[in-house]
Amino acid sequence: MSPALIDIGANLAHHSFDGDRDAVISRAMAAGVATIIVTGADRVSNEAALALALTHPGQLFATAGLHPHHADAWSVALGERIAELAKASQVVAIGECGLDYFRDLTPRAQQQLAFRAQLELAITAGKPVFLHQREAHADFLAILREYRTALAACVVHCFTDTTAALDDYLALDCHIGITGWICDERRGMHLVDAVKCIPADRLLLETDAPYLLPRNLKPAPKHRRNEPAFLPWVLQRVAQARGEDASALAAQTSANAERFFGIRANQTQ
Ligand SMILES: [Zn+2]
């Protein structure tokens, strides 16, 4: 049995898990995914993520933040609430936050405002940040650079960008989260090369469930919903790309996640 894995990003507060959330968590544990960081992405999911962490001590932890898709919901009151949530030991990072110019669901100026506010919040809280960037590398990098020295640890979650962008993040001492995007032979092949460039101690694994079902999953399920139990498929693909033993990579990435979030991994076996 491989060392226990840590899924650093799963949206378990998502409505698609409403019918079977406990079963999803049990399947994760059975698959060796002993610890899950539940992503908070807006006012409602922040509260739900912490509630889940409180009812699954040692297994689940939470983040609190506002995803750039929802940046128009930013307010002083929401910032104050995130700061309040961040006082809980179970809330191990601020975010997810950042910029998303791919979907452009909210005006870019508003995304930047919410992003800056959350970086300031993370500095005040002394907690790591869980970062989202899509098609916004230049602006994202410029803003992150302004705050980087005052920030604790940073992870660019669901990294899908170029090797040049990767170099920029590594130069800013960021950790890199890899999802099942790398398992997608249609659009993830560039990541097969990019993951080789990530230093072993900066690499983190995540499902981003319910999104990004790994396409190497066998047998392929009938549905499209991803879940933390499928993290071993991401591990396998990353290990293959790096030419490393999957078990050793599991131990390495779990140790990275423990250090990054300041947690002790749960043991399933
Ligand atoms: Zn994201």
Side-chain angles (χ1 to χ4, degrees):
M1 183 73 76
S2 277
L5 287 166
I6 300 178
D7 185 348
I8 69 139
N11 300 276
L12 288 187
H14 192 269
H15 61 82
S16 64
F17 294 117
D18 285 351
D20 64 345
R21 195 167 280 108
D22 283 340
V24 166
I25 294 166
S26 298
R27 280 200 292 275
M29 302 298 145
V33 182
T35 309
I36 302 167
I37 315 290
V38 182
T39 309
D42 61 10
R43 187 181 59 81
V44 173
S45 63
N46 289 339
E47 305 290 335
L50 177 55
L52 278 167
L54 288 169
T55 49
H56 298 77
Q59 289 182 327
L60 306 187
F61 295 88
T63 74
L66 186 68
H67 192 286
H69 288 349
H70 313 300
D72 54 356
W74 183 258
S75 66
V76 172
L78 180 61
E80 286 172 353
R81 183 60 188 155
I82 292 171
E84 192 62 33
L85 291 170
K87 289 178 184 164
S89 62
Q90 293 84 0
V91 173
V92 292
I94 300 298
E96 69 179 287
C97 60
L99 301 176
D100 192 313
Y101 295 173
F102 177 71
R103 294 269 175 82
D104 261 337
L105 292 183
T106 50
R108 293 180 179 184
Q110 184 65 23
Q111 291 191 37
Q112 292 169 16
L113 186 150
F115 182 29
R116 285 178 181 279
Q118 289 176 84
L119 292 177
E120 284 169 16
L121 239 154
I123 290 165
T124 305
K127 296 223 167 166
V129 268
F130 188 86
L131 299 164
H132 173 107
Q133 183 278 114
R134 198 158 172 212
E135 304 279 326
H137 174 65
D139 285 356
F140 176 91
L141 185 69
I143 292 172
L144 185 59
R145 224 176 233 148
E146 283 179 44
Y147 294 88
R148 182 64 190 97
T149 52
L151 283 164
C154 304
V155 57
V156 180
H157 115 95
C158 192
F159 178 80
T160 57
D161 214 318
T162 62
T163 304
L166 177 65
D167 288 343
D168 288 334
Y169 299 144
L170 291 174
L172 281 184
D173 196 24
C174 293
H175 284 64
I176 308 294
I178 298 292
T179 60
W181 197 287
I182 193 174
C183 306
D184 189 333
E185 77 289 354
R186 303 164 305 177
R187 59 180 185 174
M189 295 313 289
H190 67 291
L191 289 178
V192 173
D193 287 326
V195 291
K196 294 178 200 155
C197 306
I198 303 172
D201 61 355
R202 305 262 203 105
L203 178 61
L204 299 167
L205 302 178
E206 50 174 327
T207 58
D208 205 20
Y211 314 110
L212 302 177
L213 183 72
R215 284 175 59 86
N216 57 341
L217 207 154
K218 292 204 177 49
K222 293 185 182 70
H223 57 77
R224 299 295 311 154
R225 189 187 71 172
N226 195 8
E227 60 176 76
F230 300 148
L231 190 63
W233 296 90
V234 180
L235 169 76
Q236 291 294 341
R237 189 71 187 96
V238 173
Q240 185 187 35
R242 289 169 66 90
E244 292 175 0
D245 172 66
S247 190
L249 188 63
Q252 172 78 56
T253 52
S254 292
N256 293 346
E258 285 188 312
R259 198 178 57 247
F260 183 91
F261 293 108
I263 58 173
R264 287 292 302 275
N266 187 36
Q267 298 300 325
T268 49
Q269 286 86 45

